[in-house]
Amino acid sequence: MADLVTDYRLLIAEVYELAGLSRRISEREAAENGTTVARWHILSVVSEEPLTVPAIGRRLGLVRQAVQRVADDLVEAGQLRVEPNPAHRRSMLYAITPEGVRVLERLWAASEPRRLDTLAGSGVTAEDLRHARTTLRHLIDALTH
């Protein structure tokens, strides 16, 4: 059992390192495309479904106040819209707008060649990535229950 805990700790260290490297690369790519990585990440998260600010923060590992500030900026820029939340009157949902989708698709298109080169050089397959994602999702689900 001690090996399982050690392997978990080592996995988490790798996840943090990967997240940090990925964030630095994304910061550079976002700046090259006239935005910030915070805006990019929030647009990406809400592209799946409308979410509350606290839910966005949990997904990105950010404090609510930081997410709220960027979400407000994205609403002002017409890239997000605020919707009523039937589950909670005071915690509104943030949804991506068509303009937000255009910005996000532009960012993804600009970053795709570098990502493809990185993945090709890594030897990682799509199946490897799906398995890793499933493993991480199981751990996230276990930690949130």
Side-chain angles (χ1 to χ4, degrees):
M1 284 307 232
D3 286 346
L4 183 61
V5 172
T6 298
D7 287 339
Y8 169 78
R9 288 180 179 141
L10 292 171
L11 173 67
I12 296 304
E14 300 292 343
V15 167
Y16 282 139
E17 184 176 357
L18 176 61
L21 288 167
S22 180
R23 186 174 302 257
R24 284 190 294 280
I25 292 166
S26 294
E27 284 170 353
R28 186 174 57 246
E29 292 172 340
E32 290 169 1
N33 285 279
T35 192
T36 66
V37 73
R39 285 176 169 230
W40 184 355
H41 288 171
I42 289 174
L43 287 173
S44 184
V45 168
V46 299
S47 71
E48 297 173 21
E49 65 179 321
L51 294 171
T52 63
V53 165
I56 295 167
R58 281 190 298 277
R59 182 94 166 119
L60 295 175
L62 299 172
V63 296
R64 186 198 61 74
Q65 292 86 345
V67 172
Q68 186 69 64
R69 187 174 56 253
V70 176
D72 289 344
D73 291 345
L74 289 166
V75 169
E76 188 173 314
Q79 296 169 14
L80 288 183
R81 70 177 175 274
V82 181
E83 299 178 347
N85 181 353
H88 194 283
R89 234 181 318 150
R90 291 181 33 172
S91 189
M92 304 302 277
L93 293 170
Y94 286 78
I96 195 165
T97 65
E99 175 59 23
V101 170
R102 281 190 288 281
V103 169
L104 189 56
E105 287 175 346
R106 187 182 76 236
L107 289 163
W108 285 340
S111 68
E112 189 171 311
R114 289 183 197 153
R115 300 282 193 282
L116 287 171
D117 286 347
T118 299
L119 290 166
S122 73
V124 172
T125 67
E127 183 179 338
D128 293 337
L129 292 172
R130 285 189 295 272
H131 181 72
R133 186 171 182 218
T134 298
T135 299
L136 292 173
R137 179 50 46 199
H138 288 308
L139 290 170
I140 290 166
D141 290 346
L143 289 168
T144 57
H145 290 93

